[in-house]
Amino acid sequence: MSDLNIRPLIEGRDFGVRLSGITFEQTSDPEIRTQVNALFERHGMIMFEDVEASARMHVALSDIFGPMKDHPSKAVPRVDQDTMPGVIDMTCKPYPEGRIEIEGKEVTQWLPWHFDHAYNNELNRAGVLRALDIPPEGGLTGFVDGIELYETLSPKLRKQIEGRNILYRMNVIMKDFHFGAPDSYKCLAENPHTHAVMEAARDVPRAVHPAVWTRESGEKVLHVSPWMAEGIEGDETPEGNALLEEVSREVFARAKALSYWHAWKPTDMLIWDNWRVLHAVSGHDPQYSRRMQRTTIKGDYGLGYFEGGASSDNKILERTY
């Protein structure tokens, strides 16, 4: 890949790489596709710099990593599905109804650390994100590596959480944030559109995923999503809840040192490994708009299931950020 510029995402760290110079034509080159997939598998995240700022490039880059998974809700806005299938459009206009206070600042679009589709039995392989409307400040997307989280966790907490499974349910009500909420967190106003999402999920069983899992390459991954977690399977007790709270707070605390926060440019596109990486959104001043587009890469790591042996057909509408 001599004609592509590859650099560390964070100097001195193995998590993530920056890749510059890939063109639309090169996305169909078999050798480049193989090499880019190897980078993704090893590093867990690729930040594509200085790429063609278009939906066709978004789709072409996504196709390198596997077939795309369309969003199951037809209510979610799309780019033209005849020419750009699988690209969803997420727009936040100025002064939306949903507001959060974090560290004394009022923001919109703030999201805590999480992995996508925790509330489903299957976990998509990855997400590919780009920004079209970027606020002048804030609006960052954060990423933290579950391998690094596991390695920095205390031996005592590792021993307590390994072998445990976490229960998750779709819950987009921001006042109902069970585990790991920062002390400075306060929900000022709910987004009224969340109620329809909650109603659609009302009768769906909870999903179960391991708190720690081991990759084929041997690394252990701490993979706990504080957002939408409901408890530890078989231990929904004060003691079990206290353990999950401690782990969730450790995720937030350690992410301060380990995370990468991406400040967007229109010529950036970014893919992360949903089986390994947690992500979050910093939020931004409500006076500004923010518009993101995203594709979802199909796949599953095969370790999740629905509580009580419910059928895999019993899935809920996903919400993508």
Side-chain angles (χ1 to χ4, degrees):
M1 210 185 299
S2 58
D3 55 342
L4 297 179
N5 180 11
I6 303 167
R7 295 173 289 128
L9 183 71
I10 308 166
E11 288 297 331
R13 303 259 294 279
D14 197 52
F15 172 53
V17 294
R18 301 174 186 270
L19 193 158
S20 301
I22 192 168
T23 66
F24 178 79
E25 290 72 25
Q26 287 174 317
T27 61
S28 59
D29 183 311
E31 182 179 352
I32 286 180
R33 291 168 70 94
T34 297
Q35 291 174 319
V36 170
N37 267 291
L39 285 172
F40 176 64
E41 182 64 27
R42 174 180 170 180
H43 298 284
M45 180 173 157
I46 301 175
M47 203 279 277
F48 294 96
E49 299 178 303
D50 301 321
V51 299
E52 176 186 309
S54 68
R56 76 162 192 161
M57 185 63 175
H58 194 176
V59 171
L61 274 180
S62 302
D63 184 66
I64 292 175
F65 302 96
M68 288 189 293
K69 175 183 178 182
D70 194 15
H71 198 292
S73 172
K74 301 304 180 185
V76 174
R78 265 87 161 171
V79 178
D80 181 7
Q81 291 298 282
D82 291 332
T83 57
M84 305 294 173
V87 182
I88 64 170
D89 198 42
M90 300 165 287
T91 300
C92 174
K93 296 181 180 180
Y95 299 107
E97 296 182 73
R99 308 282 182 84
I100 296 296
E101 183 181 298
I102 192 82
E103 296 180 355
K105 295 182 180 180
E106 182 177 339
V107 298
T108 189
Q109 298 282 289
W110 180 87
L111 288 177
W113 293 107
H114 66 286
F115 58 85
D116 288 330
H117 301 189
Y119 44 80
N120 278 341
N121 64 329
E122 295 180 1
L123 296 186
N124 65 288
R125 182 69 180 96
V128 183
L129 195 62
R130 75 182 184 113
L132 287 83
D133 188 358
I134 303 167
E137 57 186 63
L140 309 183
T141 309
F143 302 89
V144 64
D145 183 16
I147 295 174
E148 292 184 338
L149 285 174
Y150 178 82
E151 290 173 347
T152 60
L153 204 63
S154 70
K156 177 184 176 182
L157 206 49
R158 281 189 207 167
K159 184 176 180 180
Q160 288 177 303
I161 200 63
E162 281 197 65
R164 302 294 193 107
N165 293 325
I166 311 300
L167 296 156
Y168 298 97
R169 187 190 299 279
M170 167 65 90
N171 189 346
V172 292
I173 302 299
M174 298 305 290
K175 289 181 180 178
D176 193 15
F177 184 3
H178 293 304
F179 295 101
D183 293 335
S184 63
Y185 171 83
K186 184 185 299 182
C187 179
L188 301 177
E190 293 285 0
N191 185 330
H193 301 294
T194 61
H195 296 291
V197 178
M198 295 298 291
E199 180 59 28
R202 183 167 53 88
D203 297 324
V204 178
R206 294 182 294 185
V208 187
H209 293 281
V212 176
W213 72 282
T214 304
R215 286 161 43 95
E216 289 184 4
S217 48
E219 304 95 338
K220 290 189 175 183
V221 180
L222 178 65
H223 204 233
V224 174
S225 173
W227 194 31
M228 302 194 189
E230 292 215 329
I232 296 175
E233 184 185 38
D235 194 9
E236 292 183 84
T237 63
E239 293 77 16
N241 289 344
L243 174 59
L244 185 52
E245 175 69 13
E246 185 178 2
V247 171
S248 297
R249 284 191 171 268
E250 281 292 299
V251 168
F252 276 87
R254 294 178 185 278
K256 290 182 179 179
L258 297 175
S259 57
Y260 166 79
W261 287 90
H262 187 66
W264 289 96
K265 296 188 297 184
T267 53
D268 295 340
M269 295 188 193
L270 194 153
I271 183 169
W272 69 95
D273 183 342
N274 190 51
W275 304 344
R276 165 179 171 178
V277 176
L278 302 181
H279 61 286
V281 183
S282 70
H284 64 274
D285 191 307
Q287 69 178 301
Y288 301 119
S289 60
R290 183 175 185 260
R291 184 184 179 195
M292 310 294 291
Q293 288 185 350
R294 171 177 167 162
T295 59
T296 301
I297 309 303
K298 187 182 295 185
D300 185 33
Y301 70 158
L303 300 176
Y305 53 90
F306 282 121
E307 188 179 26
S311 168
S312 61
D313 293 332
N314 193 3
K315 296 180 182 178
I316 62 179
L317 298 180
E318 66 183 78
R319 185 177 179 185
T320 313
Y321 299 88

